[in-house]
Amino acid sequence: MLLAIDVGNTNMVFALHNGTKVVVEWRCRTERQRTADEYYVWLRQLMELNGIPPKVRRVIISSVVPQVVFNLRVLSDRYFSTRPLVVGKPEVNIGPLPRVDPTAVVGADRIVNTVGAFDRYGGDLIVVDFGTATTLDVVGEDGAYEGGVIAPGVNLSLKALHEAAAALPFIDVTKPDGVIGTNTVACMQSGIYWGYIGLIEGICARIRAERMRQMTVVGTGGLSTLFAQGTDVLQEIDTDLTIHGLVVIDRLNRE
């Protein structure tokens, strides 16, 4: 059994893969202070509730929060008796290396999405990830990461708007009935929803123009299904892309 751990800025996803498919996924808040023992007690209880024996043989970790990785390593060593693969370490095979500036550090999540997307859809892709940040990443014909775009995430923008303007409430993200709002909440919902639709459509068009060819656009992240309702630019929606990328990287390193 493979335990794939995806650490984001806001949430962490733990997924168990049995060699054929993902058996179960669990999600928790990203907390830098959580210990290896706390992780294991939480995981063991969830495994028991789902009738899953704790037979983890391999662990792979992708993290954009470096402070969390140490305790996840301890979790793997102490409770599963295996040395984890940590995406981003030089010894971990990710396929073709990123084609970026020599001093650039590419986030582990973007590398994993690139590997997962190439495995499922081939090359020449734009991967749009609706996370804490909204990222658009270019996957080359051979599967290499070739750069991208980082914009503020949807919920981050909503939080900043609420905190900077005392009269504006904190709202949920939803697709509005129309573009023109007739009250404060509707106006904010329209601005966020259609504003991000415009951002995605505009940047994808510019990337395609810069590359001078059509490229398949893959959406991922929790909000991808919502934003796909408002645009045709998101041609594929793959909400478990990151976990799939971790599974592929694990396979590459075993082979």
Side-chain angles (χ1 to χ4, degrees), residues 6-9 62-64 87 106-115 129 133 135 137 242:
D6 171 33
V7 182
N9 287 297
S62 166
S63 177
V64 296
V87 178
V106 183
D109 56 336
R110 305 175 85 178
I111 293 296
V112 172
N113 282 348
T114 294
V115 173
D129 189 350
T135 58
D137 295 314
T242 306

Side-chain angles (χ1 to χ4, degrees), residues 63-137:
S63 177
V64 296
V65 185
Q67 302 92 324
V68 174
V69 175
F70 174 78
N71 281 314
L72 291 176
R73 282 181 176 273
V74 175
L75 167 72
S76 181
D77 291 334
R78 180 180 297 168
Y79 291 106
F80 301 124
S81 302
T82 184
R83 181 182 180 184
L85 290 173
V86 180
V87 178
K89 297 298 181 181
E91 67 272 16
V92 176
N93 179 14
I94 59 169
L97 294 177
R99 288 191 281 270
V100 293
D101 294 343
T103 57
V105 177
V106 183
D109 56 336
R110 305 175 85 178
I111 293 296
V112 172
N113 282 348
T114 294
V115 173
F118 180 69
D119 184 71
R120 280 185 168 162
Y121 307 105
D124 236 3
L125 308 174
I126 302 170
V127 179
V128 183
D129 189 350
F130 294 89
T132 303
T134 298
T135 58
L136 295 91
D137 295 314

